Amino acid sequence: MDDRTAQANTRVGTGAPDKTRYAALHRRFPTIFHLRAHARRHVPHFAFEYMDGGAGADSGIDRNWAALDAVELVPRYGVTSGLPPTEVTLFGRHYGAPLGVAPMGGPAIAWPGADAYLATAAQQARVPYVLSTVGGMTVEQAAEIAPDVFWFQLYRFAKNDHAVGFDLVKRADAAGAHVLVLTLDVPVRTTRAREVAAGIAYPFRPNLRRVLGIASSPGYLRALLRNGQPRFANLRPYVGGSTSVNEMARFLQNETRGAFTWEEVARFRDRWRRPLVVKGVLHPQDAERAVSLGIDGIVVSNHGGRQIDALPPAIDALPAVVAAAGGRATILMDSGIRSGVDVVRAVALGAQAAFAGKAFLWGLGALGADGPGHVIALMIDEMRAALGQIGARSLTEARSVVVRHPAALRF
Ligand SMILES: Cc1cc2nc3c(=O)[nH]c(=O)nc-3n(C[C@H](O)[C@H](O)[C@H](O)COP(=O)(O)O)c2cc1C
């Protein structure tokens, strides 16, 4: 049997509901970067700039990618056969792969209807789906679409003693969210130049360029007609039931200030009895602080390079955070994940799972509703191939491979 026949025989495409469809998509889009390249042409300019851009001149994004690419895994041969499984248990729940959909505000700008498409694909593949506070659907809708995999992310609404935040948490609890994620790494508002230059700013004003952009992207236009304009659906009850995007944006500008303090994290810990995760940690002392407050999980993240471009890559901070947590919390990671190989790199360095943001938006931008499922299937395929190649028969075994990681941060 030659290499190609062997690969064809062992290729699985798990996560995709339909293997034939997966194979057809795989021929056109064999990697996430093929999706990104197609998304650039397939959506209006402003939508691509929103999904693709980072802080500064995107150098934080570039460094995330370069840092992941620099992590080398030393294989062992003669120890394995076939493609290893990717199932994982996180916070006592069983998931299909150590890969999740990171919380994203306004993904419907990238592709109208995005939130539901992301949640549906995650539920089908049984991987974690994190709805953002400023996503385009409510916690109740997310729980209905993705009952087995739904997590909820919260930003800080400090006014009136956190009335809005506590109410959202109460709703997420009632809806059955499995995990609450508190984002720590947006203490200030920063600028993403490509977004601003593309006109994604408050107040939103349709301009001729944007209208023409939509008109010349038929798939996007159809999705827009089917799903309507992007809305911050979760916040509607707190804005007097308004559906105006500008009123929501004004509300957000007034209400969301700063990131959670540790005292505030402790208050959420008191209220939320299910697993609680903090997101955006890069310093091991912050990890220790989180663990001391009884936090169950930590997402090592630099917000995908979207805050400022001087933050270290999350993958380089990961080993120090894993060491600081010392097995007392589940360590998750995001920022720069573009392949199943990246996920295996993160797992080899101690993460229980990795999340992706932009990769899913590129999938949506290229393939619309089919995009998120294809991203998951691709990454699972790549993960299994990477595990098989390095001689790891399981995710656990991947943690004991020899890793060359010269840029790992030491504190
Ligand atoms: C368009 C977009 C919107 C985002 N919105 C949020 C958000 O509302 N809350 C949050 O905690 N993180 C948000 N993030 C950050 C992601 O959760 C995640 O940390 C990041 O995308 C991971 O990096 P990657 O895009 O390189 O995979 C957003 C990211 C993107 C790309």
Side-chain angles (χ1 to χ4, degrees):
M1 202 185 321
D2 70 13
D3 270 4
R4 252 180 294 160
T5 320
Q7 277 169 16
N9 286 349
T10 47
R11 185 166 292 290
V12 277
T14 36
D18 170 351
K19 282 186 190 173
T20 319
R21 174 102 183 108
Y22 173 70
L25 286 178
H26 189 267
R27 273 192 292 279
R28 283 184 66 204
F29 302 106
T31 71
I32 303 289
F33 274 100
H34 289 83
L35 293 168
R36 181 184 185 223
H38 188 63
R40 192 191 289 276
R41 300 189 298 270
H42 193 228
V43 301
H45 176 71
F46 71 86
F48 189 74
E49 295 304 275
Y50 181 68
M51 71 174 94
D52 196 68
D58 288 351
S59 54
I61 294 178
D62 293 344
R63 271 208 311 284
N64 282 340
W65 295 354
L68 278 157
D69 290 344
V71 173
E72 298 167 8
L73 309 173
V74 184
R76 296 300 305 273
Y77 296 125
V79 288
T80 186
S81 63
L83 293 168
T86 56
E87 283 81 10
V88 67
T89 300
L90 300 171
F91 310 114
R93 284 189 82 74
H94 191 67
Y95 293 97
L99 164 71
V101 181
M104 284 179 283
I109 298 172
W111 189 265
D115 300 82
Y117 300 140
L118 289 165
T120 303
Q123 172 70 23
Q124 270 174 8
R126 213 185 155 95
V127 299
Y129 163 73
V130 193
L131 174 70
S132 161
T133 312
V134 283
M137 74 187 169
T138 64
V139 285
E140 293 80 8
Q141 288 164 329
E144 208 176 305
I145 297 177
D148 299 314
V149 298
F150 164 46
W151 301 11
F152 178 60
Q153 174 267 331
L154 187 69
Y155 276 132
R156 178 174 181 264
F157 294 82
K159 279 194 180 166
N160 301 322
D161 192 32
H162 300 275
V164 171
F166 286 148
D167 191 62
L168 279 166
V169 165
K170 206 164 96 189
R171 283 172 55 195
D173 186 31
H178 300 295
V179 176
L180 176 64
V181 179
L182 301 178
T183 296
L184 301 185
D185 64 357
V186 186
V188 292
R189 257 182 258 285
T190 59
T191 300
R192 284 184 290 276
R194 285 170 61 189
E195 262 176 37
V196 176
I200 302 175
Y202 159 75
F204 301 111
R205 287 195 199 94
N207 64 23
L208 187 60
R209 188 168 180 216
R210 286 171 63 177
V211 172
L212 288 177
I214 294 174
S216 51
S217 309
Y220 189 97
L221 177 61
R222 272 196 302 278
L224 185 62
L225 294 174
R226 188 173 315 123
N227 296 292
Q229 263 196 45
R231 311 244 174 252
F232 304 117
N234 263 326
L235 305 178
R236 197 168 161 182
Y238 317 114
V239 197
S242 169
T243 52
S244 145
V245 176
N246 277 328
E247 262 186 59
M248 297 270 190
R250 186 166 45 245
F251 171 81
L252 272 174
Q253 285 217 324
N254 292 334
E255 297 283 327
T256 50
R257 287 259 187 287
F260 297 102
T261 64
W262 290 114
E263 290 68 28
E264 290 167 342
V265 170
R267 291 184 68 194
F268 280 91
R269 172 70 293 179
D270 285 346
R271 282 172 180 251
W272 178 263
R273 305 320 308 162
R274 296 193 201 134
L276 183 63
V277 168
V278 289
K279 172 171 180 282
V281 168
L282 289 169
H283 198 297
Q285 284 176 5
D286 286 344
E288 272 166 28
R289 187 71 187 262
V291 167
S292 75
L293 294 175
I295 300 309
D296 305 282
I298 294 169
V299 186
V300 183
S301 167
N302 67 12
H303 215 94
R306 289 169 66 84
Q307 281 300 102
I308 61 165
D309 47 356
L311 306 183
I315 194 75
D316 289 347
L318 177 64
V321 172
V322 170
R328 293 167 296 164
T330 297
I331 307 299
L332 309 165
M333 177 272 171
D334 76 23
S335 298
I337 298 289
R338 305 140 298 163
S339 69
V341 179
D342 285 343
V343 176
V344 172
R345 288 176 163 124
V347 169
L349 290 173
Q352 300 291 319
F355 286 70
K358 288 187 281 294
F360 283 106
L361 300 184
W362 297 328
L364 282 159
L367 289 170
D370 285 343
H374 188 56
V375 169
I376 296 170
L378 257 185
M379 288 218 205
I380 290 180
D381 233 6
E382 293 167 345
M383 244 179 263
R384 300 186 74 189
L387 290 169
Q389 179 69 36
I390 61 173
R393 284 165 298 184
S394 65
L395 291 163
T396 311
E397 281 192 9
R399 294 206 179 87
S400 43
V401 297
V402 172
V403 181
R404 179 150 65 174
H405 187 195
L409 275 164
R410 294 183 215 297
F411 289 83

